[in-house]
Amino acid sequence: MKIIFIRHGEPNYEIDSLTEKGWREAELLSKRTAKWNVTDFYCSPLGRAKDTASFTLKNAGREAEILPWLREFDAPVLDPETGKRRIPWDFLPDVLDANRDLYDNDLWTKNPIMQTGNMDENYRFVTDGLDALLARYGYVRDGYRYHASDETNREAVIVCFCHLGVTCVALSHLLNTTPVQLWQGLFLAPTSVTIIGTEERKPGEVYFRCQTVGDVHHLLSAGEPVSYYGAFNDPFQF
């Protein structure tokens, strides 16, 4: 099975849509997705994700199911430096160094900063939704792994149009790590493609492994620069 997470195009957050560049990115993306044999499409309920998906869905003559848990991760926390509410990532290094339990799978939601965002409930909203989706295809979560059976659709390819933050949450669940490590350590550019696939080295026991993270060759091959949204430095235009 393949799960493909696609971040929305360059956003216009004021109107929850795309910038002019974001629309170009989405159209270029659709030329790439046209080559894929997709089982099902899913999408965040937010406008910038739906607008990004629109070119792909129109070209494919398909519709996407809207999944509420695919919206951008919504659990603002109190910033220990400013006392104001903010997204639970992009902390400065000194904050991370003073809160090393954020990198512990068993402790990170209990960290005092994360407690201000009701993190347990918000994290489970996404991970429970993801596990329910995977169960449709016959993958059932058990501890740090999934079980498959004769009825499992091992050839399924699903595409999720969503957001940087929630993609990191989904990846953290599938890879059994904390989202903090991914929120702090990954940049997924607008319209970037992240592919994660199942490995079943022992029959019926499944683990997930990333095959591609944040790929944007559909932009670069067309001469479209990579957008910086979600990064604090300029992406390398490789």
Side-chain angles (χ1 to χ4, degrees), residues 9 37 39 43 45 50 65 76 84 94 112 116 127 129 135 147 151 180-181 184 191 202 209 216 221-222 229:
N37 182 18
T39 308
C43 190
K50 291 193 287 187
E65 180 180 345
K84 297 180 180 179
D94 56 344
T116 66
T127 60
H147 290 301
E151 287 72 41
V180 177
Q181 292 166 297
Q184 295 291 149
T191 69
K202 183 177 180 181
R209 182 174 296 207
V216 287
S221 62
Y229 274 75

Side-chain angles (χ1 to χ4, degrees), residues 174-193:
L174 296 173
L175 302 178
N176 300 304
T177 187
T178 77
V180 177
Q181 292 166 297
L182 304 181
W183 285 332
Q184 295 291 149
L186 287 185
F187 167 58
L188 304 176
T191 69
S192 65
V193 173

Side-chain angles (χ1 to χ4, degrees), residues 32-45:
R32 178 178 184 177
T33 59
K35 303 172 185 177
W36 299 348
N37 182 18
V38 177
T39 308
D40 294 300
F41 290 97
Y42 300 96
C43 190
S44 157

